[in-house]
Amino acid sequence: HGACLIMLCYHFLLDQVTEKFLSSESVGAIKAIRKMITQLKEHGVVDIFRDYSTKDIVSSFLALFKLQQAAAYYGEQKRTEGHSVNKKLLQRLAYYSVFANAAYGWKMEAASNGKLDRGNLRTLVRKTGIKEEDVVAAKWASKTHRPAYFIVRDLKHRKIVLSIRGTFSARDVLTDLCASAETFETGRRGKHRAHHGMLEAAISLATETKETVEKELHANPGYSLVLVGHSLGGGVAAVLGTLWEKDYPNLQVYGYGSPCVSPADARPTTCKNIISVLGEGDPFACLS
């Protein structure tokens, strides 16, 4: 009874501290994560280290590894020569991958290439080739369920580009960890299910950016909207693209290294303009 009382006091104090020092979005995310953890058994998650011996677990992993090697080998054998590749699509994917990368700003550039070109705007302009006057909006600091992003005019391709940053802060991690499946509606397309954190992030971005996007599209006749993002940003872009599918003709979404957005039994989006690029063997593309 004493241990139970201590745990109750601990959780009470933890709730008081989090509510005092964190934003309402962060507090909500922490509560959602805690609820999800307590319901793991209901989702079929099994503690294999409790139920099976270490020897059995290691043997199972080795057998799985061999099966994966065999599957990869036979999959390689089935590949046929002369497989057609859409070169224009590959060019677009390569082009907009730079925009997805630029959303991380100068700090990522310094970490990956050692270039100390301080200034997110300067890094964005240099990497993408977009002129500074064509940077419409930029938010470089993220919050829980509110990822960083920028909006630019791509005069070369007559596009308005909304680039969404991936995981780059502790608050982004909270968004990642809100991994329960939530139901949402898109009007004519009916109901869908998606990652809770990504859905909340997509809804907050829609609220924050839609007026700017519509203003730019109205001021630039013949332009269409492109959503891009890497990792968490790619997942959010896919959900946002589903929400906006009927609102913007010729909408295109390019996600790079995106995690799973919807559970396996969910109704998939019918939006054919969402393209996800995954690296072979990328473990994060299998996480959600």
Side-chain angles (χ1 to χ4, degrees):
H1 294 290
C4 292
L5 181 60
I6 292 174
M7 288 301 297
L8 286 172
C9 291
Y10 169 77
H11 285 297
F12 174 77
L13 291 174
L14 183 62
D15 289 339
Q16 293 297 309
V17 170
T18 55
E19 291 181 7
K20 183 175 181 180
F21 293 102
L22 299 179
S23 66
S24 59
E25 292 85 0
S26 295
V27 172
I30 291 173
K31 289 181 178 179
I33 295 167
R34 184 187 299 172
K35 180 181 178 182
M36 183 181 65
I37 292 174
T38 61
Q39 295 176 341
L40 286 178
K41 289 184 178 180
E42 298 178 13
H43 295 285
V45 178
V46 178
D47 185 355
I48 60 173
F49 294 98
R50 180 196 64 192
D51 297 339
Y52 301 94
S53 68
T54 303
K55 180 181 178 181
D56 290 339
I57 294 172
V58 172
S59 298
S60 298
F61 281 139
L62 289 174
L64 178 61
F65 175 68
K66 291 180 179 180
L67 286 172
Q68 289 174 329
Q69 282 187 316
Y73 173 79
Y74 286 108
E76 185 69 26
Q77 298 301 311
K78 290 182 179 179
R79 291 184 182 179
T80 58
E81 295 184 2
H83 179 68
S84 62
V85 177
N86 188 328
K87 292 184 178 180
K88 289 185 178 180
L89 174 59
L90 290 179
Q91 290 172 350
R92 289 201 304 271
L93 290 172
Y95 178 77
Y96 285 113
S97 69
V98 177
F99 288 73
N101 181 268
Y104 288 94
W106 74 269
K107 292 180 181 178
M108 177 63 81
E109 187 80 353
S112 59
N113 299 325
K115 295 182 180 179
L116 296 177
D117 187 11
R118 293 181 64 90
N120 292 317
L121 180 59
R122 189 176 352 179
T123 300
L124 165 60
V125 170
R126 179 175 54 80
K127 288 179 72 70
T128 63
I130 298 295
K131 294 182 180 180
E132 188 170 335
E133 58 264 31
D134 290 317
V135 178
V136 179
K139 179 182 177 182
W140 299 103
S142 64
K143 296 181 180 179
T144 305
H145 301 329
R146 296 182 181 181
Y149 68 90
F150 66 78
I151 302 174
V152 297
R153 302 182 199 95
D154 179 8
L155 304 184
K156 180 179 178 181
H157 296 91
R158 298 174 64 81
K159 305 290 185 183
I160 302 300
V161 183
L162 168 55
S163 179
I164 307 168
R165 196 185 74 187
T167 303
F168 203 56
S169 71
R171 291 180 175 86
D172 296 329
V173 174
L174 284 178
T175 302
D176 286 321
L177 292 176
C178 291
S180 59
E182 296 292 326
T183 301
F184 67 102
E185 295 188 20
T186 58
R188 68 179 185 183
R189 296 297 186 187
K191 293 183 178 180
H192 305 269
R193 294 173 68 206
H195 182 286
H196 172 71
M198 296 180 200
L199 175 59
E200 290 295 323
I203 292 173
S204 69
L205 267 181
T207 302
E208 187 170 343
T209 65
K210 190 167 188 177
E211 182 177 348
T212 300
V213 168
E214 291 187 343
K215 180 180 178 181
E216 286 299 314
L217 290 173
H218 183 265
N220 297 277
Y223 279 52
S224 58
L225 178 63
V226 172
L227 308 179
V228 303
H230 167 257
S231 185
L232 170 65
V236 174
V239 179
L240 184 57
T242 304
L243 292 172
W244 278 356
E245 177 188 3
K246 66 184 182 64
D247 297 330
Y248 300 107
N250 302 316
L251 169 67
Q252 190 69 62
V253 181
Y254 300 119
Y256 303 87
S258 306
C260 298
V261 176
S262 299
D265 62 343
R267 175 185 174 185
T269 175
T270 54
C271 181
K272 298 179 180 180
N273 294 330
I274 299 176
I275 298 177
S276 184
V277 181
L278 304 178
E280 186 174 359
D282 180 4
F284 296 101
C286 302
L287 298 177
S288 180

